[in-house]
Amino acid sequence: MSAEAADREAATSSRPCTPPQTCWFEFLLEESLLEKHLRKACPDPAPVQLIVQFLEQASKPSVNEQNQVQPPPDNKRNRSLKLLALKVAAHLKWDLDILEKSLSVPVLNMLLNELLCVSKVPPGTKHVDVDLAALPPTTAMAILLYNRWAIRTIVQSSFPVKQAKPGPPQLNVMNQMQQEKELTENILKVLREQAADSILVLEAALKLNKDLYVHTMRTLDLLAVEPGTVNGETENSTAGLKIRTEEMQCQVCYDLGAAYFQQGSTNSAAYESAREKFFRTKELIAEIGSLSLHCTIDEKRLAGYCQACDVLVPSSDTNSQQVTPYSQVHICLRSGSYQEVVQIFIEDNVTFTLPVQFRQSVLRELFQKAQQGNEALDEICFKICSCNTVRDILEGRTISVQFNQLFLRPNKEKIDFLLEVCSRSIDIEKASDSLKGNMAAFLKNVCLGLEDLQYVFMISSHELFITLLKDEERKLLVDQMRKRSPRVNLCIKPVTSFYDIPASASVNIGQLEHQLILSVDPWRIRQILIELHGMTSERQFWTVSNKWEVPSVYSTVILGIKDNLTRDLVYILMAKGLHCSTVKDFPHSKQLFTAGLELVTEFSPKLRQVMLNEILLLDILTHEAGVGHSGERPPSDLISRVRGYLEMRLPDIPLRQVVAAECVAFMLNWRENEYLTLQVPAFLFQNNPYVKLGQLLAATCKELPGPKESRRTAKDLWEVVVQICSVSNQHKRGNDGRVSLIKQRESTLGIMYRSELLSFIKKLREPLVLTIILSLFVKLHNVREDIVNDITAEHISIWPSSIPNLQSVDFEAVAITVREVVRYALSVNPNSHAWLIIQADIYFATNQHSAALHYYLQAGAVCSDFFNKAVPPDVYTDQVAILCQFLREIDYKTAFKSLQEQNSHDAMDSYYDYIWDVTILEYLTYLHHKRGETDKRQIAIKAIGQTELNASNPEEVLQLAAQRRKKKFLQAMAKLYF
């Protein structure tokens, strides 16, 4: 080692482990000391926090000379920072348990997308369409890691999270938190939309029978230093960290089981799949044993999942296991034997077998059914609640709020049952003094809460009461009850208005907050808030749940309400109404918004209009999801209200763009083109991007039958969409061809972002409008100079054939948009042969020939009654023909060249009966004779000798023979693909 190098090493080793906070990432970047930093395991910053810092620095926006904020540049420094983040994750062995605990959803999404990028997964590729077995090990492992994280994140987001107690309000911190929250929700929305695909990818991974490898710090260094070796050592079977097949399958089975278990709440059949995956996980853990290096499964949680699955999907072998109390309760609930559930709970009050949480979940389930209109369950709810309350009392817990609610109006039957439960839940001779004391105190408190002395006498004269309380205590209690003045029971007053509901008795704040989170009854929400504000004036109860989300344009106005109770009530009604609308619980959403409207009408015209707008949106969604989906036209009143919203000129009204988008989509779907083109006010066209887009689409639909010269609106629509899909010249692809997945490529010059345009398109279902949009994007896709295979579409000729500034269009985004739009269009009408041809052309243009053939065949099948009729020539054109002899002029040159290929016609002789061209059959006979293939030559001779192919036959016979063979061939091909 040279003296200079020795001095450098000495200086490096003498440095503090953690450089100054302001420049430590630059220090690691310039000195390449990351590995040494990680080996020393510095507590500050922790390794996972390094990932956050690296990615934050790499994704910082830049500012140009005009002080305009620009996306982060794709330069060497930023690429190095992203690579450092990947190396830290590699140091942690890509352990999702560690990464998920310390990284937010947006950061982890960014990190795993970078891993996909360096692992050579092309942007925009659907993982479900790739063959994992054919991919390099590191590429396959990157896809598995991303999709495992995706379904784990979906499952985790479904769990309730207790809201942290807010500190002093800081505007910049709140804005940052709101931005991160919105970004997280956007990512979760995408993950949920792709959940089915992620599950299919992981199911396919379970069929792999080879070990996989994941990138290490060394392989990542090789990628950075020598990009030319990407297809060499970094992707071969021995590079990277080895993940054994059993370990990979164990983790995938566990994650799939959790995903299926979550789906079971809406699809009971999913519990069977969850049970299968969890039990397979247990088997794999037993197989791996102590040899596991990378498979970390929470075995306690796994055991809980297995036990839950045993309850929900009991084994069919009843002799192999004893029926547990869980299974008994579940069987009774499924069969509607609710009285048996009550008896099981009473018996469990003695044995304490069932966990309290399980008993409460059963009560919640029955409460929900009762609230949905099953009044017969009211009595069952009281009985189970009484059983749970007695269990709580025996274990020293407080009385639940549900019991207080259900016991507000006692009667003889309720008290008789309560005394029965108390008697059967305690064995006086064997019970401890603490159990006896708890039961005695409970009975005394019940008596003190009763208004009617007759009911007090029923309890005080009961054998259990006499046994637990001494004579002096009983006498003192009865005297106290006789002397007290009668109280007025407020709850007997009939409820006539939202404002007339009184608050109930005081209970524990935590229990009330829990009820506040669960309730969707506006009157009950108000009652709970009155009780909470009566207990404390220091809390802001609109912050109780972090799941309550109100758009910032609304929250600014709502949080400005001075009265704390009114502010909390309006905010929660709005948040719950929006949530119910999102999950398509339209009846409850309507109740919540109607209550909110009644509440704000008295004091805020601005919020009144907000509530009216949300009710309009709700009515549109309700109609579209109900009778509108089957083609029933909306009532004229609803159309008038939509027009009224579009023409509204009230100043300072907070508006959500989604309301305008839904209104315009509604008008387009019900062909209100005349209104959109002729009657929309000019100011609305200029100020609302969705109205402008809708008017251009409506006008294009109207002008479509006319001459090409009159299609001025089509040109305007083209220019608007081109501008939306354009990017600044400063955002070009790098010289190495690499595009960062976290680069912000959307232009702000258009009337809306491309993602907003795509969301709007997915609200449409009018065939002509979707056809126009598809043809526009197809034309835009075909305009690029390097296109090899054009995509065909209807009405494509109405668009301009060139773009002045071709370099400004983000053609990668256009290609992704085309795929998304055609996928959505086929979900609206899967039998549109024109849209199926577009999908097939897209696959053919990207060299996915098998998928392309699938859709070409499907397009032919839907328009020919499964090939029982001739496929129209505008469907199977010469560009689409799948056999040389299908062409109008048979392409013998291509046919003969294909037949000469030695590796292309295994078992092709089984298709000779489908060939009707005698020249091709004669060439086959010659070819087999030349190769000495006697058997195949005989098959060809037999095929050519069929009488219906005789050249002397009339033209009608020859055409009939050809048509018959076309039909049989296409049906045979379809059976292979459908």
Side-chain angles (χ1 to χ4, degrees):
M1 180 184 295
S2 65
E4 182 180 355
D7 291 341
R8 183 180 179 87
E9 176 65 21
T12 301
S13 61
S14 64
R15 287 175 178 168
C17 188
T18 304
Q21 188 65 26
T22 57
C23 62
W24 64 266
F25 56 88
E26 299 285 356
F27 170 82
L28 294 176
L29 182 61
E30 294 175 5
E31 302 293 335
S32 300
L33 297 177
L34 179 63
E35 292 188 54
K36 180 178 290 185
H37 187 74
L38 292 173
R39 283 199 301 270
K40 291 183 179 181
C42 301
D44 183 23
V48 179
Q49 292 307 312
L50 291 175
I51 296 175
V52 178
Q53 296 288 349
F54 287 141
L55 292 180
E56 281 183 353
Q57 292 299 321
S59 60
K60 272 189 176 180
S62 60
V63 180
N64 62 13
E65 296 177 355
Q66 290 78 29
N67 289 328
Q68 295 177 332
V69 178
Q70 303 289 336
D74 187 18
N75 53 29
K76 181 178 178 181
R77 175 184 177 276
N78 283 349
R79 287 195 296 271
S80 299
L81 285 167
K82 295 171 192 173
L83 185 64
L84 288 174
L86 292 172
K87 291 171 73 174
V88 175
H91 168 75
L92 298 170
K93 298 181 180 179
W94 301 99
D95 190 327
L96 287 180
D97 289 333
I98 296 175
L99 296 174
E100 288 171 342
K101 287 178 183 176
S102 304
L103 298 181
S104 65
V105 170
V107 172
L108 193 45
N109 177 58
M110 196 183 304
L111 177 71
L112 292 176
N113 273 311
E114 282 300 320
L115 175 64
L116 292 173
C117 191
V118 301
S119 301
K120 293 298 177 183
V121 179
T125 301
K126 288 193 70 176
H127 296 170
V128 73
D129 291 337
V130 300
D131 182 5
L132 293 177
L135 294 176
T138 51
T139 305
M141 194 62 199
I143 290 176
L144 289 189
L145 268 172
Y146 178 85
N147 287 281
R148 280 187 57 218
W149 167 76
I151 65 171
R152 286 163 65 105
T153 304
I154 293 170
V155 172
Q156 186 64 33
S157 68
S158 67
F159 297 154
V161 178
K162 183 173 178 61
Q163 177 73 26
K165 187 174 181 179
Q170 299 179 22
L171 186 60
N172 58 340
V173 175
M174 290 180 67
N175 288 340
Q176 184 177 355
M177 290 174 63
Q178 182 66 23
Q179 290 174 2
E180 182 173 334
K181 187 176 183 181
E182 291 176 356
L183 181 56
T184 300
E185 285 304 317
N186 290 335
I187 293 172
L188 285 172
K189 181 181 178 182
V190 174
L191 295 180
R192 292 187 185 108
E193 290 174 353
Q194 300 173 350
D197 286 353
S198 293
I199 288 174
L200 289 176
V201 170
L202 297 182
E203 288 285 7
L206 296 179
K207 299 176 183 178
L208 296 177
N209 57 358
K210 65 177 183 179
D211 296 334
L212 297 179
Y213 293 80
V214 69
H215 279 299
T216 60
M217 298 178 74
R218 178 175 175 276
T219 59
L220 291 169
D221 274 332
L222 290 174
L223 289 176
V225 176
E226 300 179 24
T229 65
V230 169
N231 293 322
E233 182 182 1
T234 56
E235 291 191 3
N236 68 22
S237 60
T238 59
L241 179 65
K242 180 179 179 180
I243 308 295
R244 294 170 53 210
T245 305
E246 296 81 3
E247 292 178 308
M248 179 272 290
Q249 291 184 348
C250 185
Q251 291 175 319
V252 170
C253 277
Y254 180 76
D255 293 336
L256 279 172
Y260 286 135
F261 192 86
Q262 183 216 17
Q263 294 176 358
S265 60
T266 56
N267 177 16
S268 58
Y271 286 128
E272 182 65 41
S273 300
R275 185 177 188 274
E276 175 191 342
K277 291 296 182 288
F278 286 133
F279 278 61
R280 178 57 182 156
T281 304
K282 290 180 66 175
E283 293 174 358
L284 287 168
I285 289 176
E287 290 178 20
I288 297 170
S290 60
L291 299 176
S292 176
L293 298 175
H294 314 294
C295 181
T296 55
I297 302 293
D298 186 342
E299 296 195 36
K300 288 185 178 180
R301 193 173 185 85
L302 174 61
Y305 272 130
C306 291
Q307 188 177 45
C309 288
D310 261 343
V311 173
L312 299 169
V313 188
S315 173
S316 57
D317 184 6
T318 54
N319 297 325
S320 63
Q321 62 178 19
Q322 185 177 1
V323 178
T324 65
Y326 297 98
S327 300
Q328 289 178 336
V329 172
H330 185 65
I331 292 170
C332 292
L333 290 175
R334 290 175 61 182
S335 62
S337 305
Y338 301 119
Q339 292 292 348
E340 294 184 25
V341 177
V342 174
Q343 296 305 316
I344 293 172
F345 276 25
I346 293 176
E347 294 170 3
D348 183 67
N349 281 355
V350 179
T351 61
F352 291 8
T353 302
L354 297 173
V356 174
Q357 293 81 359
F358 174 74
R359 294 170 60 123
Q360 291 173 345
S361 69
V362 172
L363 179 58
R364 281 197 299 272
E365 180 180 342
L366 294 176
F367 258 129
Q368 290 174 358
K369 290 182 179 179
Q371 289 175 352
Q372 292 170 0
N374 191 345
E375 297 180 357
L377 288 178
D378 289 343
E379 181 184 355
I380 296 297
C381 288
F382 169 76
K383 289 184 175 181
I384 290 182
C385 184
S386 299
C387 295
N388 287 351
T389 300
V390 172
R391 168 75 177 270
D392 290 338
I393 293 303
L394 292 174
E395 293 186 317
R397 288 186 293 273
T398 57
I399 298 174
S400 68
V401 65
Q402 292 99 330
F403 181 79
N404 284 331
Q405 293 170 349
L406 294 173
F407 209 65
L408 283 173
R409 295 183 181 178
N411 55 37
K412 183 178 183 300
E413 289 74 19
K414 287 184 177 180
I415 292 177
D416 280 338
F417 178 78
L418 182 62
L419 290 172
E420 178 190 354
V421 174
C422 292
S423 301
R424 293 177 57 184
S425 300
I426 186 170
D427 186 344
I428 298 297
E429 296 180 358
K430 299 179 181 179
S432 63
D433 291 340
S434 62
L435 285 180
K436 293 178 182 178
N438 290 341
M439 183 65 77
F442 170 64
L443 293 176
K444 285 174 62 177
N445 287 332
V446 171
C447 289
L448 290 171
L450 292 172
E451 300 285 345
D452 195 329
L453 290 180
Q454 177 185 355
Y455 298 149
V456 176
F457 180 75
M458 284 178 62
I459 297 176
S460 62
S461 61
H462 194 272
E463 181 182 357
L464 179 63
F465 189 90
I466 295 172
T467 304
L468 292 175
L469 278 80
K470 297 178 182 178
D471 292 341
E472 295 79 7
E473 291 177 309
R474 285 187 283 114
K475 183 178 179 181
L476 183 63
L477 176 64
V478 173
D479 290 342
Q480 183 180 357
M481 296 293 296
R482 285 174 177 167
K483 291 178 181 178
R484 73 180 183 183
S485 59
R487 295 181 300 172
V488 177
N489 186 354
L490 296 177
C491 291
I492 63 174
K493 180 181 179 181
V495 177
T496 57
S497 169
F498 183 67
Y499 297 95
D500 290 337
I501 301 177
S504 66
S506 193
V507 289
N508 180 272
I509 290 180
Q511 292 174 326
L512 284 175
E513 288 180 344
H514 181 68
Q515 285 297 304
L516 189 63
I517 292 172
L518 294 179
S519 180
V520 290
D521 182 353
W523 287 270
R524 177 59 188 146
I525 291 169
R526 176 186 177 274
Q527 187 178 19
I528 294 172
L529 283 173
I530 291 173
E531 295 180 31
L532 287 170
H533 278 275
M535 296 178 186
T536 175
S537 59
E538 299 176 358
R539 294 287 304 278
Q540 296 180 343
F541 292 102
W542 63 271
T543 64
V544 166
S545 172
N546 66 347
K547 299 291 185 182
W548 292 340
E549 297 180 7
V550 171
S552 56
V553 292
Y554 292 170
S555 62
T556 305
V557 180
I558 295 174
L559 297 181
I561 298 174
K562 294 182 180 180
D563 180 69
N564 292 340
L565 173 61
T566 306
R567 177 202 60 209
D568 288 347
L569 184 54
V570 174
Y571 188 96
I572 294 172
L573 289 174
M574 173 64 74
K576 285 179 175 285
L578 292 172
H579 171 74
C580 289
S581 178
T582 301
V583 299
K584 301 188 185 307
D585 184 1
F586 299 133
H588 279 124
S589 182
K590 188 68 173 284
Q591 291 177 9
L592 290 158
F593 284 133
T594 303
L597 176 64
E598 182 183 349
L599 178 63
V600 301
T601 296
E602 298 293 331
F603 66 91
S604 176
K606 187 181 296 187
L607 285 175
R608 178 182 181 275
Q609 189 59 52
V610 166
M611 292 294 180
L612 288 173
N613 293 344
E614 290 300 327
I615 291 174
L616 172 61
L617 173 60
L618 184 64
D619 288 344
I620 291 174
L621 296 176
T622 304
H623 180 270
E624 296 298 277
V627 294
H629 194 70
S630 59
E632 183 175 331
R633 188 166 176 80
S636 57
D637 172 65
L638 181 56
I639 296 177
S640 298
R641 289 165 59 202
V642 171
R643 292 181 178 182
Y645 174 83
L646 292 176
E647 298 171 13
M648 182 175 58
R649 296 196 188 192
L650 296 177
D652 302 327
I653 298 297
L655 299 175
R656 282 207 302 155
Q657 288 285 12
V658 67
V659 184
E662 287 288 352
C663 285
V664 174
F666 176 83
M667 301 298 276
L668 287 171
N669 285 335
W670 294 106
R671 295 175 288 282
E672 290 288 325
N673 297 334
E674 196 73 19
Y675 172 82
L676 287 173
T677 52
L678 299 178
Q679 300 178 38
V680 170
F683 80 91
L684 196 60
F685 178 82
Q686 297 166 0
N687 298 328
N688 192 314
Y690 291 104
V691 173
K692 182 176 182 179
L693 183 63
Q695 190 177 61
L696 291 173
L697 282 168
T700 305
C701 290
K702 287 180 61 180
E703 294 175 1
L704 197 60
K708 187 175 182 180
E709 308 80 62
S710 68
R711 295 172 188 163
R712 172 63 190 170
T713 311
K715 186 175 183 297
D716 294 340
L717 178 60
W718 168 268
E719 291 174 353
V720 166
V721 174
V722 168
Q723 198 173 32
I724 292 173
C725 296
S726 296
V727 293
S728 170
N729 290 330
Q730 298 174 2
H731 303 161
K732 290 183 178 178
R733 186 187 296 268
N735 293 330
D736 57 357
R738 183 175 181 273
V739 176
S740 170
L741 290 180
I742 64 173
K743 177 181 283 189
Q744 299 175 9
R745 296 181 58 86
E746 290 198 322
S747 169
T748 56
L749 301 177
I751 62 172
M752 64 181 67
Y753 288 111
R754 185 178 60 88
S755 58
E756 293 173 332
L757 173 61
L758 190 58
S759 296
F760 175 74
I761 292 171
K762 291 183 178 180
K763 301 179 190 299
L764 303 172
R765 66 169 190 277
E766 169 60 25
L768 182 57
V769 177
L770 286 174
T771 298
I772 287 174
I773 292 170
L774 265 174
S775 68
L776 189 155
F777 276 103
V778 166
K779 182 67 174 183
L780 189 55
H781 175 274
N782 293 343
V783 165
R784 60 191 297 179
E785 297 174 343
D786 58 343
I787 194 73
V788 178
N789 296 302
D790 279 353
I791 302 173
T792 59
E794 292 180 294
H795 310 305
I796 202 167
S797 62
I798 69 174
W799 311 113
S801 57
S802 62
I803 299 175
N805 189 6
L806 199 62
Q807 293 76 19
S808 68
V809 178
D810 186 355
F811 284 105
E812 180 182 326
V814 171
I816 294 172
T817 305
V818 171
R819 290 196 291 269
E820 286 290 329
V821 173
V822 74
R823 188 180 297 121
Y824 167 72
L826 287 173
S827 71
V828 174
N829 181 11
N831 294 323
S832 170
H833 67 269
W835 297 348
L836 289 167
I837 289 291
I838 295 175
Q839 179 69 85
D841 283 352
I842 291 172
Y843 279 122
F844 186 78
T846 54
N847 296 321
Q848 300 180 67
H849 299 131
S850 179
L853 184 55
H854 170 89
Y855 282 95
Y856 284 134
L857 288 168
Q858 193 173 341
V862 298
C863 63
S864 65
D865 192 18
F866 198 71
F867 305 111
N868 285 305
K869 302 175 184 176
V871 179
D874 62 330
V875 177
Y876 280 176
T877 62
D878 285 356
Q879 288 76 26
V880 177
I882 54 178
L883 275 184
C884 298
Q885 61 177 351
F886 274 62
L887 299 173
R888 292 177 177 84
E889 294 182 8
I890 298 176
D891 187 357
Y892 290 114
K893 181 179 178 181
T894 303
F896 294 164
K897 182 180 178 181
S898 300
L899 293 172
Q900 288 173 4
E901 295 180 5
Q902 290 287 340
N903 61 347
S904 65
H905 59 276
D906 288 345
M908 276 300 296
D909 50 348
S910 62
Y911 290 90
Y912 288 177
D913 285 340
Y914 301 129
I915 300 176
W916 61 86
D917 185 79
V918 176
T919 305
I920 294 178
L921 288 170
E922 288 174 346
Y923 183 79
L924 279 170
T925 306
Y926 159 75
L927 199 61
H928 291 317
H929 175 72
K930 182 180 177 181
R931 293 174 179 169
E933 298 169 344
T934 308
D935 294 341
K936 292 184 178 181
R937 178 173 177 270
Q938 289 300 320
I939 296 173
I941 291 173
K942 181 181 177 182
I944 204 174
Q946 298 177 72
T947 56
E948 56 188 347
L949 297 183
N950 193 315
S952 301
N953 288 336
E955 185 64 26
E956 295 81 6
V957 174
L958 293 175
Q959 288 182 359
L960 185 61
Q963 188 61 40
R964 185 174 147 203
R965 282 166 173 75
K966 281 184 182 180
K967 168 188 170 182
K968 287 186 176 181
F969 173 75
L970 291 172
Q971 287 180 340
M973 291 291 290
K975 288 177 181 176
L976 292 176
Y977 282 87
F978 296 167

